[in-house]
Amino acid sequence: MNFPIISSLILLPTIGALFIFFTRPSSKKYQSSKYVALFISLANFLLSLYLWYIFDKSNVDFQFVENREWLSGFINYKVGIDGISILFILLTTFIVPICIISVNATVTNKLKNFLIAILLMETMMIGVFCSLDLVVFYLFFEAGLIPMFLIIGIWGGERRVYSAFKFFLYTLLGSVLMLIAIISIYWITGTTDVVKLYEIGIDPKYQKLLWLAFFSSFAVKTPMWPVHTWLPDAHVEAPTAGSVLLAAILLKMAGYGFIRFSLGLFPIASEYFIPLIYFLSLIAIIYTSLVALMQEDMKKLIAYSSVAHMGFVTLGIFTMTQQGIEGSIIQMISHGLVSAALFLSVGVLYERMHTRMINKYSGLVLIMPKYAIVLMVFTLGSIGLPGTSGFVGEFLILMGAFKKNFLVATIASLGVILGAAYMLWLYKRVIFGNLINEDLKKLIDLKKIEILVFSSLVFPILFFGFYPEPLINSVETSVINLIDMYNFNINNNLVLKK
Amino acid sequence: MIENLELILPEIFVSLAIMLFLIIGVYKKNSSSLVYYLSTVSLLVLFALLFNYYSLSESSLFNESYKIDKLATFMKLLTAVSGIFVMLTSSKYIQLNKIDKIEYPILILSSILGMMVMISSNDLIVFYMGLELQSLALYVLASFNRDNIFSTESGLKYFVLSALSSGLLLYGCSLIYGFAESTNFNVIINNTNSANYGLTFGIVFILVGLAFKISAVPFHMWAPDVYQGSPTSVTLFFAILPKIAALTVFIRFLYVPFANMNDQWQIIIVFLSIGSMLFGAVAAIGQRNLKRLVAYSSIGHMGYALAGLSTSTNEGIQSSIIYMTIYLIMNLAFFSCLFMLRRNESYYENIEDLSGLSKNHPILSFSLLVILFSLAGIPPLAGFFAKFYIFMAVIEESMYFLAIVGLLSTVISAFYYLRIIKVIYFDPDMDKYDTNHHFGLKFTLAITTIFILIYFIYPRGLTDLISKIIII
């Protein structure tokens, strides 16, 4: 296979962005740039579906690897995928077209620049999920900050400047330590190639510090308690499409990073720090769920629920069991779909009423029955009701957790109940009840394009809820391989110590 | 000796050009724009002359007191290129500010000549001669807008403080001559040992003088005032060229005569570096004038360049040179943007003046966006790679403290760069600026911005060139 399919995936959105930048006029009425962007992102989606189709699920190694000399002598541009990354790439390429379709009403000025920013984001996100070199990974990981900073800052709400700065500086602070760790790894082992590093391993005496440096970056990005405070701000102020990208994909970069790098490169340190992760994850699950209960702003509520859901993800990853890690991956995919859908739903209301306050709404079921049905599916998906994709993820994570630590699993299960509480309460307050507000009567139900967007999200949520086989199938080999490698390293280290 | 004179052909050429232009200036009335034009051309010729020397092997002249090697040639090339771009960008500025006298380009040429002598010097006396030629020209340039009180102040301030630092430097030279029995770098190295405190004192005094020239903390006080007060075209000159020369002297001085004493000077360089990085990052936050802000940010950038020097490895020195190259490109780009903030024949230089620039000038704003993110060191722009090489070299020597401080100050300094971006993109717009800029300015901005933007595609181009410079 000589065709560089992964590089095409990475570069296609950038080419689209350049095309829009140079050729499309920036007048407000002229929408052709939107069609170009949509076309490019759909093409990318089809390309990634094709990639999924030809991807060999039984193969343990990285596939479609491309290796080019880049920084002379020591760092190569190396990309490739395994069963874990292919799912995240699919999620990215699936969410971006939806963002672009939904962009219409929320972004009124500078539509062209907005689309360019989103397409550049797509490049960076795909790059993160398939880079097989630490420096290349860092490059994509950090470069995503620039378009996101602009998306929040230019097209955001009232406190956009504060939120954009907070987002940028928090994330940058976290990741500079990772840069030091990456360079240290280069000098310790002589390479930053992930595949080679998997083979040769890193000296256990350095692992703890390196793990902490990577952790500082991923913890901010996940976000874990107590560095999660940038997320609600960023979500509330970002435009709908920005929130969707942030919740659905950006947060997953950290979860992916934990699996690929923390577990894969520093198994001994990961084992050592398991209690820390459990502790922070449980706080995230319980505490942010309680905080979510008290929110009056819909977007903020969903943002806090994201923190709680990502708490499950980190918990699942560090159970180091097959169920736990697979559950985390599925939970991330499912959360990507559900949170995107929820933010879009809030966007629909905000477009019509220009407020996100929960107490301004009630009794929407009388006026917008279709919306009520759609939101019902998403709410249940967020709760993790059997039959939605959320259930599969949470169930597997808890299964993995029970295997390892009964107490932790029990407390985490409480989080599921709290999750149901805040989501159902939100649904009850917004959808049921009487129409208290006169303005609400003027609302119109979902338009055709919105129905299209929402049904394209409802379908995978339900489909993977009933039939998660395709997801599990593609990650299974890679996850088993990862765990084997992990256990091998731990046992080796124990032998060495004796 | 005489047969080797062709090696200093570039220097001879510049000296002749200076004398010729002086004569033209005296005998021909209103020849300022002609001289300006001719000086730019002569810098181009200088660049072409120097180009051949990069492939030459190392050689020295005048009893080994003048050295032509890869380091010298590369730095001279950088000087010539930046000189050309400085002249290209500022021609309109000096006309509008009525400082287009014939002396202006001649002073620039003489200071470039001084820098070339500094860069090639392999002897304390030759080095001091070059330094003074450079500095004297710079004093006059700083106060060139003599009707402007700020310009006069900055010239005087620079003169007084610089003279003080030159004095210290000279004292250091004399100490070294006393204890090492020579002024020639190649002889000094044989007479050094770490136990000799006289030599250590000499090194410290010389380092103080050099740190003043590149405005490293704690010898940075002059920079903000001089940067702000001088005409912007001179500020651009200040921000780039003297630093190239001083950094070269730093490299040569530390790694030729005192390479054996790195246990003595390393801690000083690390201190200068940490101080500059932190101070540059923190102090720039409160600034509202863009030129003053650049002064503080350049203090910070010098800190990073020094961090590379403190490592005592070839990789460290090369990373410093790469940093310097990318730094000067970013500064050229940034100042080109400053020159574009012109409305009704006057220039604007405060952060508020950038407010809402993106609405009326999308291309200029985009360039500024790229430049500022690059200055902040965000990948995948060139500024990130500059820092990346530095930290590669620093961490190789296990100097983790320096690396962590450096990266944390990157985060702090990101704040004030972001603030400028915020003003450009998020704030309400103001009146339009003029758009009829001359070709040289547009050309410089385009070329530098494109370089910053696409450096990541082929980073080897620069590193391969610089990796030929081997000092140790």
Side-chain angles (χ1 to χ4, degrees):
Chain A
M1 185 78 190
N2 288 323
F3 180 67
I5 187 163
I6 297 203
S7 291
S8 326
L9 266 180
I10 296 174
L11 282 180
L12 196 57
T14 306
I15 294 168
L18 287 176
F19 181 73
I20 294 175
F21 181 76
F22 284 114
T23 59
R24 298 292 111 185
S26 54
S27 70
K28 278 178 194 166
K29 285 181 183 166
Y30 198 59
Q31 295 253 322
S32 71
S33 47
K34 191 173 157 183
Y35 297 120
V36 175
L38 189 62
F39 173 75
I40 292 280
S41 55
L42 279 177
N44 223 21
F45 177 55
L46 292 179
L47 192 61
S48 61
L49 275 182
Y50 173 70
L51 185 68
W52 197 24
Y53 173 71
I54 57 173
F55 174 77
D56 179 4
K57 295 177 183 63
S58 56
N59 194 339
V60 191
D61 295 328
F62 287 94
Q63 298 173 38
F64 309 107
V65 176
E66 290 166 40
N67 203 349
R68 284 164 218 276
E69 194 169 82
W70 182 50
L71 289 181
S72 48
F74 61 109
I75 289 159
N76 288 345
Y77 166 81
K78 186 168 184 182
V79 290
I81 52 167
D82 68 349
I84 300 171
S85 31
I86 179 77
L87 288 186
F88 289 101
I89 293 173
L90 273 172
L91 178 69
T92 312
T93 52
F94 176 66
I95 293 290
V96 171
I98 289 180
C99 276
I100 292 174
I101 298 176
S102 72
V103 118
N104 215 2
T106 42
V107 174
T108 46
N109 62 334
K110 296 197 228 169
L111 177 69
K112 179 183 152 185
N113 300 359
F114 189 77
L115 295 169
I116 293 174
I118 286 192
L119 287 176
L120 288 180
M121 264 325 274
E122 187 178 6
T123 291
M124 306 306 168
M125 292 180 300
I126 297 174
V128 164
F129 292 130
C130 53
S131 45
L132 288 182
D133 187 287
L134 289 171
V135 178
V136 179
F137 170 79
Y138 181 83
L139 221 68
F140 283 122
F141 194 75
E142 283 288 280
L145 286 180
I146 300 176
M148 202 61 210
F149 173 77
L150 295 174
I151 288 176
I152 299 175
I154 299 179
W155 294 279
E158 279 166 22
R159 290 171 73 238
R160 59 207 163 99
V161 174
Y162 170 79
S163 308
F165 272 62
K166 197 170 178 182
F167 163 76
F168 193 96
L169 294 176
Y170 255 68
T171 330
L172 185 63
L173 184 63
S175 34
V176 287
L177 291 176
M178 182 164 80
L179 180 61
I180 296 185
I182 291 173
I183 298 174
S184 310
I185 289 176
Y186 177 75
W187 290 119
I188 292 168
T189 61
T191 179
T192 52
D193 183 334
V194 177
V195 182
K196 275 187 205 152
L197 284 172
Y198 278 170
E199 280 165 20
I200 53 181
I202 294 171
D203 194 335
K205 71 182 175 194
Y206 300 115
Q207 281 196 11
K208 282 175 195 163
L209 275 176
L210 294 175
W211 188 91
L212 280 175
F214 273 76
F215 174 73
S216 75
S217 173
F218 295 150
V220 171
K221 203 93 176 185
T222 313
M224 296 178 86
W225 184 87
V227 283
H228 65 281
T229 55
W230 63 269
L231 183 73
D233 283 315
H235 269 320
V236 170
E237 299 306 329
T240 306
S243 299
V244 171
L245 279 186
L246 200 59
I249 310 164
L250 251 74
L251 304 189
K252 310 300 175 291
M253 288 181 183
Y256 174 79
F258 273 127
I259 297 175
R260 173 78 73 231
F261 302 115
S262 298
L263 250 58
L265 297 180
F266 321 117
I268 292 150
S270 297
E271 185 78 16
Y272 180 81
F273 285 111
I274 283 177
L276 173 74
I277 294 276
Y278 281 179
F279 179 68
L280 294 180
S281 304
L282 287 182
I283 291 183
I285 293 170
I286 303 294
Y287 167 77
T288 50
S289 298
L290 290 173
V291 175
L293 266 176
M294 288 292 101
Q295 294 306 315
E296 283 165 357
D297 183 321
M298 286 191 253
K299 259 189 163 179
K300 228 171 187 164
L301 190 148
I302 301 168
Y304 277 108
S305 86
S306 290
V307 181
H309 281 126
M310 291 312 285
F312 275 107
V313 170
T314 45
L315 179 68
I317 292 171
F318 281 85
T319 57
M320 318 289 181
T321 55
Q322 192 194 337
Q323 292 86 353
I325 295 177
E326 281 177 14
S328 293
I329 295 166
I330 293 171
Q331 169 82 344
M332 280 193 267
I333 303 292
S334 147
H335 177 255
L337 298 168
V338 172
S339 64
L342 285 171
F343 278 117
L344 285 171
S345 315
V346 176
V348 165
L349 286 185
Y350 183 75
E351 232 171 73
R352 291 164 167 73
M353 289 282 288
H354 297 285
T355 177
R356 293 183 301 259
M357 290 299 146
I358 297 172
N359 59 16
K360 290 279 193 305
Y361 295 97
S362 72
L364 285 185
V365 69
L366 301 173
I367 300 175
M368 306 170 74
K370 289 178 201 157
Y371 180 76
I373 295 170
V374 170
L375 188 61
M376 171 72 102
V377 175
F378 298 146
T379 307
L380 295 180
S382 173
I383 296 167
L385 197 81
T388 63
S389 56
F391 171 74
V392 184
E394 277 181 10
F395 178 75
L396 284 172
I397 291 172
L398 289 175
M399 219 164 101
F402 270 113
K403 226 174 178 178
K404 278 280 166 126
N405 190 325
F406 186 75
L407 181 67
V408 168
T410 319
I411 299 174
S413 312
L414 283 178
V416 180
I417 300 170
L418 283 172
Y422 61 73
M423 284 314 294
L424 287 178
W425 196 30
L426 170 74
Y427 191 76
K428 185 224 142 204
R429 283 183 288 175
V430 174
I431 300 292
F432 299 134
N434 300 320
L435 276 173
I436 41 160
N437 195 336
E438 279 301 308
D439 294 344
L440 290 174
K441 288 191 177 148
K442 287 179 230 149
L443 289 180
I444 34 171
D445 207 347
L446 296 180
K447 287 175 256 175
K448 269 183 191 154
I449 186 85
E450 288 163 341
I451 292 176
L452 176 75
V453 168
F454 283 122
S455 49
S456 62
L457 282 162
V458 167
F459 172 72
I461 291 174
L462 293 179
F463 178 79
F464 292 126
F466 284 106
Y467 189 64
E469 194 57 28
L471 296 182
I472 294 181
N473 205 358
S474 58
V475 295
E476 198 165 22
T477 333
S478 303
V479 169
I480 291 174
N481 178 43
L482 187 72
I483 292 173
D484 284 349
M485 206 166 64
Y486 181 84
N487 288 332
F488 174 76
N489 271 310
I490 300 284
N491 295 335
N492 252 3
N493 194 43
L494 288 180
V495 173
L496 278 179
K497 270 187 184 164
K498 278 170 192 167
Chain B
M1 231 168 74
I2 297 298
E3 67 269 25
N4 276 344
L5 274 185
E6 75 221 31
L7 286 174
I8 55 164
L9 193 63
E11 282 87 343
I12 295 174
F13 169 74
V14 178
S15 324
L16 290 179
I18 292 170
M19 289 173 216
L20 178 71
F21 298 154
L22 268 177
I23 295 168
I24 294 178
V26 171
Y27 286 100
K28 192 171 180 316
K29 283 222 167 80
N30 299 327
S31 56
S32 60
S33 60
L34 176 72
V35 171
Y36 195 89
Y37 174 72
L38 282 177
S39 315
T40 317
V41 173
S42 63
L43 280 174
L44 268 172
V45 175
L46 171 67
F47 179 75
L49 280 178
L50 283 168
F51 210 80
N52 297 323
Y53 287 78
Y54 198 65
S55 50
L56 285 187
S57 56
E58 193 178 318
S59 50
S60 46
L61 296 113
F62 309 126
N63 288 329
E64 296 194 333
S65 64
Y66 203 81
K67 204 174 199 174
I68 311 288
D69 57 359
K70 287 218 160 45
L71 173 68
T73 314
F74 185 79
M75 290 312 215
K76 281 179 196 168
L77 278 169
L78 274 191
T79 315
V81 171
S82 354
I84 294 166
F85 279 117
V86 169
M87 302 290 269
L88 276 181
T89 49
S90 50
S91 62
K92 183 96 181 178
Y93 179 89
I94 64 165
Q95 275 169 27
L96 286 179
N97 281 283
K98 312 251 174 350
I99 48 175
D100 51 339
K101 313 274 162 47
I102 52 148
E103 292 90 344
Y104 185 88
I106 292 174
L107 282 169
I108 284 190
L109 280 184
S110 12
S111 114
I112 286 178
L113 178 64
M115 286 163 198
M116 287 165 68
V117 174
M118 268 171 89
I119 287 169
S120 268
S121 63
N122 197 35
D123 185 289
L124 288 172
I125 293 174
V126 177
F127 151 61
Y128 189 74
M129 218 168 64
L131 180 80
E132 281 306 290
L133 178 56
Q134 180 228 214
S135 303
L136 283 170
L138 286 180
Y139 304 145
V140 186
L141 277 174
S143 52
F144 208 82
N145 195 358
R146 61 179 179 191
D147 299 329
N148 182 329
I149 188 158
F150 291 111
S151 180
T152 323
E153 181 211 340
S154 86
L156 190 65
K157 199 169 217 163
Y158 185 53
F159 172 67
V160 172
L161 289 173
S162 190
L164 182 69
S165 85
S166 294
L168 286 175
L169 197 139
L170 207 52
Y171 184 51
C173 292
S174 66
L175 275 174
I176 287 173
Y177 176 63
F179 284 93
E181 297 158 23
S182 173
T183 56
N184 190 301
F185 289 174
N186 293 357
V187 183
I188 292 175
I189 190 167
N190 300 323
N191 297 336
T192 53
N193 65 67
S194 288
N196 191 334
Y197 286 113
L199 277 179
T200 312
F201 271 96
I203 293 176
V204 171
F205 279 120
I206 292 187
L207 286 185
V208 168
L210 286 175
F212 177 90
K213 301 290 176 207
I214 63 164
S215 67
V217 170
F219 309 103
H220 61 278
M221 276 78 158
W222 60 276
D225 289 337
V226 174
Y227 274 54
Q228 191 183 0
S230 312
T232 311
S233 53
V234 179
T235 311
L236 169 59
F237 195 78
F238 265 121
I240 304 175
L241 284 107
K243 297 197 168 157
I244 303 174
L247 195 89
T248 322
V249 175
F250 248 111
I251 295 171
R252 215 181 285 284
F253 184 75
L254 295 177
Y255 290 101
V256 180
F258 299 108
N260 307 331
M261 292 179 70
N262 65 2
D263 54 329
Q264 300 283 320
W265 53 255
Q266 189 175 38
I267 187 79
I268 302 176
I269 303 289
V270 170
F271 172 78
L272 289 175
S273 161
I274 288 180
S276 307
M277 290 189 290
L278 277 180
F279 182 83
V282 176
I285 290 174
Q287 303 307 323
R288 311 182 71 196
N289 182 297
L290 284 169
K291 276 155 76 180
R292 218 175 162 79
L293 187 131
V294 170
Y296 284 107
S297 101
S298 78
I299 293 173
H301 283 293
M302 282 307 113
Y304 293 99
L306 284 178
L309 282 193
S310 66
T311 55
S312 310
T313 57
N314 265 324
E315 285 77 27
I317 298 169
Q318 285 159 7
S319 72
S320 279
I321 298 171
I322 296 176
Y323 195 92
M324 207 56 217
T325 315
I326 293 176
Y327 161 84
L328 82 87
I329 291 168
M330 293 191 295
N331 259 8
L332 270 172
F334 187 75
F335 274 89
S336 308
C337 294
L338 270 188
F339 286 128
M340 288 195 172
L341 300 182
R342 175 166 57 87
R343 193 190 294 138
N344 299 332
E345 312 231 319
S346 57
Y347 286 86
Y348 292 81
E349 53 190 42
N350 285 327
I351 292 185
E352 305 92 81
D353 299 329
L354 290 170
S355 177
L357 194 70
S358 66
K359 303 224 170 54
N360 292 328
H361 304 276
I363 306 279
L364 175 61
S365 314
F366 178 72
S367 316
L368 266 171
L369 177 83
V370 170
I371 296 159
L372 289 166
F373 272 122
S374 174
L375 282 166
I378 307 295
L381 304 170
F384 166 75
F385 288 93
K387 291 204 166 83
F388 179 74
Y389 297 127
I390 293 277
F391 291 117
M392 280 300 275
V394 168
I395 291 175
E396 188 188 8
E397 294 298 298
S398 302
M399 297 157 89
Y400 290 105
F401 182 67
L402 187 59
I404 290 171
V405 171
L407 283 168
L408 289 185
S409 38
T410 305
V411 179
I412 302 173
S413 59
F415 174 76
Y416 62 81
Y417 294 123
L418 284 186
R419 210 179 43 147
I420 307 178
I421 294 169
K422 173 220 142 199
V423 172
I424 297 173
Y425 274 90
F426 308 168
D427 282 3
D429 55 332
M430 308 207 313
D431 295 346
K432 272 191 155 189
Y433 288 99
D434 293 353
T435 47
N436 55 336
H437 306 292
H438 61 280
F439 171 75
L441 188 56
K442 285 183 197 163
F443 175 73
T444 312
L445 182 58
I447 246 189
T448 46
T449 310
I450 289 171
F451 176 88
I452 293 169
L453 198 58
I454 65 169
Y455 177 78
F456 74 95
I457 294 177
Y458 192 67
R460 292 173 52 194
L462 190 59
T463 46
D464 285 355
L465 199 65
I466 289 176
S467 61
K468 288 186 192 130
I469 300 174
I470 290 162
I471 308 293
I472 302 167

